[in-house]
Amino acid sequence: MIKQGKYYLNESERLSKYGIKNPEFISFSFNRFMELLINIIGKNGGDIIKFVGEALMVIWPSIDDSDDKNDLQESCIRAFQCAKQITKKMTKLNKEGGMNLGLKIGLGVGECRIFFAGGTFSRSEFLIVGSAMKQACTSILQAKDGEIIISDKVYELIHKRFPFSKKG
């Protein structure tokens, strides 16, 4: 799960100092940024399930339906590599573009269920539940801007592959 929570407020304030108050320009800039995120996620094998305000709900499905630890590990590695690429790109954009974009990323692993609710009056909604979602949401709540927080279960699967520092 990726939470990009400060874009509109910070960029609107920053641009208004230069006399740019055009909502179309701010919307265009935000859409270009989201396009960048979408491309990085796609290149790393992630599937965007849902946009929730300025947040994205993304899954990296396992290759098969088994509970094979190697398969889960590979999905976690791809998700973490994607998160690192996104934060690196954000840092670069903030430095080079004088922007102040805030981004928090939380990762969890485990079973997820995706439900389709609605259908009446041409309205429907995807609902995602499960331990992976709970872990990702809990991780995001602990993150500060620019941080990737992974659950203990993700850490167990990938800690030998990447250097980590403990938070808290």
Side-chain angles (χ1 to χ4, degrees):
M1 181 174 198
I2 300 169
K3 173 72 171 119
Q4 192 277 319
K6 296 190 334 184
Y7 184 84
Y8 275 121
L9 179 61
N10 286 349
E11 285 308 290
S12 296
E13 288 174 359
R14 184 181 76 82
L15 293 171
S16 69
K17 290 178 186 175
Y18 301 103
I20 301 171
K21 296 182 181 182
N22 185 342
E24 287 84 12
F25 178 78
I26 294 168
S27 178
F28 175 81
S29 300
F30 178 72
N31 288 337
R32 293 300 70 77
F33 174 70
M34 292 301 279
E35 182 180 335
L36 181 110
L37 288 180
I38 291 165
N39 288 334
I40 293 172
I41 290 165
K43 287 178 183 173
N44 283 279
D47 292 333
I48 299 170
I49 301 299
K50 187 173 186 172
F51 291 87
V52 185
E54 294 180 8
L56 296 165
M57 296 172 112
V58 183
I59 62 169
W60 277 263
S62 57
I63 296 165
D64 58 36
D65 290 335
S66 72
D67 285 335
D68 181 19
K69 185 176 178 179
N70 291 332
D71 194 30
L72 287 176
Q73 183 180 40
E74 186 57 38
S75 292
C76 288
I77 288 168
R78 287 183 293 142
F80 187 71
Q81 287 173 328
C82 180
K84 286 178 60 168
Q85 288 175 23
I86 288 170
T87 54
K88 185 177 179 179
K89 191 67 168 176
M90 279 290 279
T91 301
K92 184 178 178 183
L93 283 173
N94 283 339
K95 283 182 183 175
E96 291 176 0
M99 302 179 96
N100 187 17
L101 303 172
L103 182 86
K104 301 175 183 184
I105 300 175
L107 300 177
V109 63
E111 190 172 298
C112 271
R113 298 280 184 213
I114 302 173
F115 297 97
F116 179 77
T120 351
F121 306 114
S122 299
R123 293 185 299 199
S124 58
E125 188 78 27
F126 279 109
L127 305 172
I128 305 171
V129 298
S131 62
M133 217 39 230
K134 183 177 180 181
Q135 293 168 41
C137 291
T138 301
S139 296
I140 274 195
L141 291 174
Q142 297 172 26
K144 294 185 175 113
D145 285 337
E147 287 186 331
I148 303 165
I149 303 293
I150 62 173
S151 71
D152 291 338
K153 291 188 178 198
V154 173
Y155 178 80
E156 287 171 22
L157 289 167
I158 67 171
H159 73 278
K160 292 179 182 172
R161 183 88 182 260
F162 302 97
F164 286 102
S165 60
K166 286 275 190 184
K167 181 174 175 145

